[in-house]
Amino acid sequence: MTDNKDDKTLSVTGKKTLTLKPSGVSQGTVRQDIGRGRTKAVVVETRKRRLTRPEDEKASAPVPQARPAEPAPAAPRPAAPAAPRVHQPSAPQQRPPQPQQPVRQERPRGAVLHDLSAGEMEARRRALVEAQAREVEETKQRAIDEARRKAEAEEAARRAAEDAARRAEEVKEEGTQAQEVEAPAPAAVPVRPSEVRPAAPRPAAPSAPVFGRSRKEEEEEEERGAARGPARGKVVAPAPAKVPARPKGEEDRRRGKLTVTTADVDEEGAPSRGRSLASMRRRQEKFRRSQMQEPREKIVREVVLPETITIQELSQRMSERAVDVIKYLMKEGQMMKPGDVIDADLAEIIATEFGHTVKRVSESDVEEGIFDVADEEGELLPRPPVVTIMGHVDHGKTSLLDAIRNANVVAGEAGGITQHIGAYQVEQNGQKITFIDTPGHAAFTAMRARGAQATDIAILVVAADDSVMPQTIESINHAKAAGVPIIVAINKIDKPTANPQKVRTELLQHEVFVESMGGEVLDVEVSAKNGTNLDKLLEAILLQAEILDLKANPNRTAEGTVIEAELDRGRGAVATVLVQKGTLRPGQIIVAGDQWGRVRALVNDKGDHVKEAGPAMPVEVLGLSGTPAAGDKFAVVENEARAREISEYRLRLARDKAAARQSGSRGSLEQMMSQLQTSGMKEFPLVIKGDVQGSIEAIAGALDKLGTEEVRARIVHSAVGGVTESDISLAEASNAAIIGFNVRANTQARQAAERGGIEIRYYNIIYDLVDDVKAAMSGLLSPERRETFLGNAEILEVFNITKVGKVAGCRVTEGKVERGAGVRLVRDNVVIHEGKLKTLKRFKDEVSEVPVGQECGMAFENYEDIRAGDVIECFRVEHVTRTL
């Protein structure tokens, strides 16, 4: 495989020839690309340049070496003395050209390798390095492309296996005969996992040449044939893709082929759970509906509505979006949030508007069987009458009750007026009568209404000297609204100015017809001071009670009304109750309003502990968890769990209703605008602590009536009990004043108030409290601006004086003109300017005022546009303090 020795040839088989090299010959190695990413090393020899004649140099000039990036064609030469011949194996025929391969500088046969300069050797070396770098990059890119193609093939095979498994599952569920599942891969015979045997290793093909060609050359020939495509007229079956579903490990190689049976088994051999046929049908139906854009049929639901519900909860029960409910409310003028609480009526309107049906339920079912339990007729027994004493303030209601009870209650009331509801029981001719004393002041309207609702007979006390007064009329209205009969007690007949007939006549105007005037209302003239005709009054009460035929069942659980509630320092929460049905005993569990507790003791009106309280008997109940509101119903329950459940329901109900009122009050757009307009209203914040619940209600009602469009009283907090440190902190945070009605602050609260500079005002008469708050609220009113006219002056001439400006020469035509007062410049009955006078002179002297008929000179401050004929009006402004 080598040429003769004279030509100094080299070997291309990769091995150096064992020949002696003459001096001046150097060898080098060049890597040659032979296609399909394969290269081989070629040994190149160079010899030194020989000195020849110039004409010989021209004839044998070496070919200029170009850079690999810029190849240049070699110039033809007529002859070349000697050149290394490169022997290459016969290349396969029709080899496709390899584009963008590194350019290799090959010399043709017969070319002479002359000596290269150092620059050319360096350029050649750089070209080799760059070619090797490009070759490495191309190898990496080919590896990346091959990995991507393999991953895509694996993903396709995995999807095909999943489709085959799903179709097999459908066939199995439908119960049809087993059919071959068509798949891109050739059908595989189902094999149980236990029957899978590892495939025998395939013997390696011999590398010896077959029929003159090596195994490697045959593989290359097959690849070239596949690239060219099948030969004409031959049918070639497509080879199955050998793409594993995932990279195989050692266990996967031994598992065998992937079949329908093995695809439905997980890694541990257990059957894997696939999609059911129904799931596939639902998925197809959903896809078809999304493609066809079919509107979903609206489902009409039965919405269960409690008494209060949030918008979010309502939307969930309707299966509607909360945003749609909010949009509907905005169209109706209501601005609300999903968390706002609405009542059942509004919720029913919304649900009906959205096309749903409504079922109203009440959480009050928890109270069933406690209140208003019907009694059988045979169990009813006579009971004492409940009498309420009503009338105007200072007409002698409490004095009359004192005379009947032989007690002195008036001395215990501050200011001589009743500020609490008192309940007492007296005995007359062996029969008991229960009395309820109500306040007569205008602030105690709610307490009078409660007294009328819990009573059987109303005694209207009217002073013979004062006759009918405003609270008398109000008491008549309360009694008529409650539907109870009235007995008129004309008091103070011992006074010289008493006129009972005038009282009877004025009562006719309010549809109260006494017997002496031809009506049916009983009237008795009494004197509480002297005790006159008190027995006649009691007989009239018993007569009226006999007509009413009052009965109750004492042999059942107790039920009644809370008359008053207070917080006693030593006894805790104390509620004055009136038992209306049944019998109340110590140890029983009662629910009063939103409070509950076990009865520890029962105390009557004389301060004695009693063992039981029957119908129509007023007692004080000790043992409640808190102070209930006056007017609440109370009842006995069987156990603590039931009592706690009812109490929590009532607390939640009160809280939700308050929230609903608050959200409704700010809801509509018109109300929001009105709130913006009244945002400038001044408020007088107050913290009120009282001895009983009724007094706090009366104070709150009286202060609410004091409010105007400019100022109002805002009660930050009100509760029963003394003033505590928490009240001081609340007042300090809200800049509120603290009012104590018949209560005092403890030592810690007083010290905290002194440190914070908080004022605590104590009262025991509601008149004084209301008057002081009224005066304080009047201080918040802006003073009234009152203007007083002084006089007019007419401008006769205008003078322009140096360093002074324009001065008007005037004559006072009406009233007088004062310096320092306000002035207006009127031109053609139009006010041009309003300001003050800078100077007022009479001749050359400054004067304080100029009377009518005299002339003077006047100049305005910062204004000089004055003309002859203008009128100057002089006035005085006063600020007057306003009161409520």
Side-chain angles (χ1 to χ4, degrees):
M1 297 286 296
T2 58
D3 291 338
N4 55 18
K5 185 176 180 182
D6 297 333
D7 293 334
K8 302 294 190 297
T9 59
L10 54 91
S11 172
V12 295
T13 59
K15 297 181 180 180
K16 298 181 181 179
T17 55
L18 299 175
T19 56
L20 295 175
K21 292 185 294 183
S23 60
V25 178
S26 62
Q27 287 186 345
T29 304
V30 177
R31 298 200 66 83
Q32 185 177 8
D33 185 276
I34 60 175
R36 295 189 177 274
R38 294 177 297 172
T39 59
K40 71 182 205 175
V42 179
V43 180
V44 180
E45 286 185 357
T46 58
R47 60 175 59 185
K48 292 183 179 180
R49 181 179 180 183
R50 292 182 298 176
L51 296 175
T52 57
R53 295 192 300 273
E55 53 272 14
D56 294 338
E57 287 182 350
K58 294 178 181 178
S60 60
V63 180
Q65 296 292 331
R67 295 182 182 272
E70 299 175 358
R77 292 183 300 276
R85 290 188 295 173
V86 179
H87 179 76
Q88 296 181 354
S90 60
Q93 294 182 356
Q94 298 181 359
R95 174 179 293 179
Q98 301 295 325
Q100 297 181 357
Q101 294 293 339
V103 179
R104 301 298 181 188
Q105 198 68 28
E106 298 181 6
R107 295 182 181 277
R109 293 181 181 272
V112 180
L113 293 177
H114 293 280
D115 296 336
L116 300 177
S117 63
E120 292 174 342
M121 291 294 291
E122 182 64 25
R124 182 171 295 182
R125 196 158 36 248
R126 283 198 302 271
L128 290 175
V129 172
E130 293 174 0
Q132 291 174 0
R134 281 195 299 274
E135 185 177 343
V136 171
E137 292 294 331
E138 290 172 359
T139 304
K140 291 182 179 179
Q141 186 63 33
R142 281 195 296 274
I144 294 173
D145 295 342
E146 186 68 23
R148 186 178 67 252
R149 285 195 297 273
K150 186 180 294 185
E152 292 175 354
E154 291 175 356
E155 181 66 20
R158 185 182 61 79
R159 285 198 297 269
E162 290 178 355
D163 293 341
R166 188 166 60 249
R167 284 196 292 271
E169 183 70 20
E170 293 176 4
V171 171
K172 185 167 60 178
E173 289 189 3
E174 291 174 356
T176 59
Q177 296 180 355
Q179 298 178 356
E180 287 183 302
V181 181
E182 294 183 1
V189 180
V191 181
R192 294 189 181 91
S194 60
E195 296 178 357
V196 177
R197 295 184 177 87
R202 183 177 177 180
S207 60
V210 181
F211 298 107
R213 287 190 301 176
S214 65
R215 178 68 180 177
K216 189 173 185 182
E217 292 175 348
E218 287 182 357
E219 290 177 357
E220 292 176 358
E221 185 67 26
E222 289 174 1
E223 290 175 2
R224 286 194 298 276
R228 287 195 301 271
R232 186 183 301 275
K234 292 184 179 181
V235 179
V236 181
K242 298 180 181 180
V243 183
R246 54 178 179 169
K248 286 188 176 182
E250 187 63 24
E251 296 179 359
D252 295 332
R253 290 195 184 94
R254 298 177 182 274
R255 180 175 297 174
K257 295 183 178 180
L258 179 67
T259 63
V260 174
T261 306
T262 58
D264 198 31
V265 178
D266 59 8
E267 296 178 357
E268 299 177 359
S272 62
R273 186 180 182 89
R275 279 183 177 271
S276 65
L277 185 60
S279 174
M280 293 298 299
R281 287 176 179 170
R282 287 196 301 268
R283 184 177 181 182
Q284 292 173 359
E285 178 67 20
K286 183 178 179 181
F287 177 74
R288 184 181 66 81
R289 195 165 52 241
S290 63
Q291 292 295 322
M292 298 295 293
Q293 296 293 329
E294 293 181 0
R296 185 183 293 270
E297 183 181 357
K298 184 175 182 63
I299 301 175
V300 178
R301 300 181 181 274
E302 185 183 33
V303 183
V304 179
L305 295 181
E307 294 178 0
T308 57
I309 188 173
T310 62
I311 295 178
Q312 184 72 36
E313 178 68 20
L314 176 62
S315 62
Q316 291 176 358
R317 295 187 182 186
M318 295 191 302
S319 294
E320 304 283 353
R321 296 192 309 163
V323 178
D324 297 335
V325 180
I326 296 297
K327 287 180 180 178
Y328 169 74
L329 291 172
M330 290 178 67
K331 290 179 182 178
E332 299 298 323
Q334 296 284 331
M335 303 289 291
M336 291 190 178
K337 304 186 297 296
D340 287 344
V341 179
I342 58 177
D343 55 8
D345 296 333
L346 180 56
E348 183 176 358
I349 294 173
I350 295 172
T352 307
E353 185 69 23
F354 278 83
H356 302 285
T357 59
V358 174
K359 179 181 178 183
R360 296 282 289 267
V361 298
S362 176
E363 293 182 279
S364 59
D365 298 342
V366 72
E367 297 181 344
E368 287 185 357
I370 298 179
F371 297 100
D372 300 327
V373 179
D375 296 318
E376 294 184 5
E377 193 68 28
E379 298 177 351
L380 299 179
L381 299 176
R383 66 170 177 85
V386 179
V387 181
T388 299
I389 298 180
M390 308 174 73
H392 191 71
V393 64
D394 285 340
H395 276 204
K397 299 181 297 297
T398 307
S399 301
L400 182 63
L401 184 59
D402 290 348
I404 294 173
R405 295 180 62 225
N406 297 321
N408 188 6
V409 179
V410 175
E413 291 285 356
I417 63 170
T418 301
Q419 301 179 110
H420 307 140
I421 288 183
Y424 315 97
Q425 200 167 36
V426 299
E427 190 170 345
Q428 174 72 12
N429 299 331
Q431 293 180 326
K432 292 183 178 180
I433 303 174
T434 300
F435 285 95
I436 297 177
D437 184 18
T438 63
H441 188 261
F444 297 95
T445 303
M447 300 173 76
R448 276 195 302 278
R450 281 198 299 274
Q453 291 169 1
T455 191
D456 301 317
I457 301 171
I459 294 181
L460 183 64
V461 179
V462 185
D465 54 346
D466 275 352
S467 191
V468 178
M469 300 297 285
Q471 269 68 58
T472 309
I473 300 171
E474 192 176 324
S475 301
I476 295 172
N477 295 333
H478 286 315
K480 288 183 178 181
V484 297
I486 299 175
I487 297 176
V488 179
I490 303 176
N491 195 17
K492 301 184 180 180
I493 61 171
D494 56 315
K495 284 194 173 184
T497 57
N499 188 359
Q501 192 61 32
K502 179 183 177 183
V503 173
R504 297 186 180 97
T505 305
E506 290 188 0
L507 286 175
L508 294 176
Q509 302 175 7
H510 305 285
E511 299 180 358
V512 177
F513 306 104
V514 299
E515 287 184 339
S516 59
M517 304 293 288
E520 297 179 356
V521 178
L522 299 175
D523 65 302
V524 182
E525 296 181 4
V526 297
S527 172
K529 184 176 180 182
N530 300 330
T532 308
N533 294 336
L534 295 183
D535 52 348
K536 291 184 179 180
L537 179 62
L538 295 176
E539 289 175 0
I541 294 172
L542 293 175
L543 177 61
Q544 188 70 48
E546 186 178 352
I547 295 173
L548 295 176
D549 191 18
L550 304 171
K551 291 184 179 182
N553 180 14
N555 302 317
R556 52 158 286 179
T557 57
E559 179 183 336
T561 305
V562 178
I563 300 297
E564 191 57 89
E566 61 180 339
L567 197 62
D568 192 275
R569 184 178 182 86
R571 300 185 296 172
V574 179
T576 302
V577 301
L578 176 66
V579 181
Q580 294 172 314
K581 297 178 182 179
T583 303
L584 183 64
R585 297 178 176 88
Q588 292 180 330
I589 299 171
I590 66 170
V591 175
D594 54 5
Q595 306 293 334
W596 69 279
R598 187 181 295 272
V599 179
R600 287 191 291 136
L602 297 176
V603 183
N604 62 9
D605 57 317
K606 298 180 178 62
D608 301 330
H609 286 257
V610 294
K611 296 296 183 182
E612 62 181 22
M617 181 175 180
V619 288
E620 288 184 343
V621 177
L622 280 67
L624 291 174
S625 58
T627 55
D632 285 343
K633 295 284 187 178
F634 83 90
V636 176
V637 295
E638 59 271 13
N639 52 40
E640 292 186 4
R642 182 80 183 277
R644 189 179 293 108
E645 186 179 7
I646 297 174
S647 175
E648 291 176 355
Y649 156 70
R650 291 181 172 179
L651 277 172
R652 184 169 62 253
L653 184 65
R655 189 165 53 245
D656 291 347
K657 285 186 176 179
R661 283 197 305 269
Q662 184 178 2
S663 62
S665 64
R666 69 162 190 231
S668 65
L669 296 173
E670 292 81 1
Q671 290 166 348
M672 290 175 65
M673 294 301 296
S674 65
Q675 284 184 359
L676 290 175
Q677 293 173 0
T678 59
S679 59
M681 178 183 290
K682 296 179 181 179
E683 292 183 341
F684 187 65
L686 292 170
V687 174
I688 299 176
K689 299 300 289 285
D691 56 343
V692 294
Q693 189 73 30
S695 299
I696 294 175
E697 287 184 13
I699 294 170
L703 296 181
D704 188 47
K705 293 180 181 179
L706 294 179
T708 63
E709 295 180 355
E710 297 182 42
V711 62
R712 68 182 180 93
R714 180 170 64 92
I715 299 176
V716 179
H717 174 65
S718 63
V720 175
V723 181
T724 61
E725 284 186 273
S726 60
D727 299 328
I728 304 297
S729 302
L730 180 60
E732 190 173 2
S734 57
N735 294 324
I738 298 179
I739 292 177
F741 189 78
N742 284 334
V743 295
R744 290 293 182 270
N746 54 29
T747 306
Q748 294 83 0
R750 285 198 302 270
Q751 294 174 355
E754 292 175 359
R755 290 194 302 268
I758 305 298
E759 183 183 8
I760 304 176
R761 303 292 294 271
Y762 300 108
Y763 299 93
N764 55 6
I765 300 175
I766 195 169
Y767 297 123
D768 301 337
L769 188 153
V770 174
D771 292 342
D772 286 359
V773 174
K774 184 176 180 180
M777 291 171 60
S778 300
L780 296 178
L781 293 174
S782 56
E784 181 181 357
R785 185 176 184 271
R786 187 174 299 173
E787 183 178 301
T788 304
F789 173 76
L790 295 178
N792 284 337
E794 183 182 359
I795 300 178
L796 303 178
E797 192 67 38
V798 178
F799 304 97
N800 200 347
I801 301 176
T802 307
K803 297 182 181 181
V804 176
K806 290 186 177 180
V807 176
C810 309
R811 178 187 293 116
V812 180
T813 58
E814 184 180 357
K816 63 179 179 179
V817 176
E818 293 182 356
R819 187 172 60 184
V823 289
R824 294 189 184 97
L825 181 65
V826 181
R827 182 179 301 159
D828 297 331
N829 295 324
V830 178
V831 177
I832 302 300
H833 172 71
E834 182 174 340
K836 290 184 178 182
L837 288 178
K838 179 171 64 174
T839 178
L840 177 62
K841 289 190 176 183
R842 173 107 173 109
F843 298 106
K844 293 185 179 181
D845 301 327
E846 286 282 347
V847 293
S848 58
E849 65 177 39
V850 178
V852 61
Q854 295 186 1
E855 295 181 355
C856 60
M858 288 187 283
F860 289 89
E861 289 184 356
N862 303 322
Y863 190 78
E864 293 188 351
D865 184 15
I866 52 179
R867 304 175 188 174
D870 292 348
V871 176
I872 298 176
E873 179 183 343
C874 186
F875 61 92
R876 182 187 300 118
V877 176
E878 298 176 353
H879 293 278
V880 181
T881 303
R882 297 165 58 196
T883 58
L884 291 174

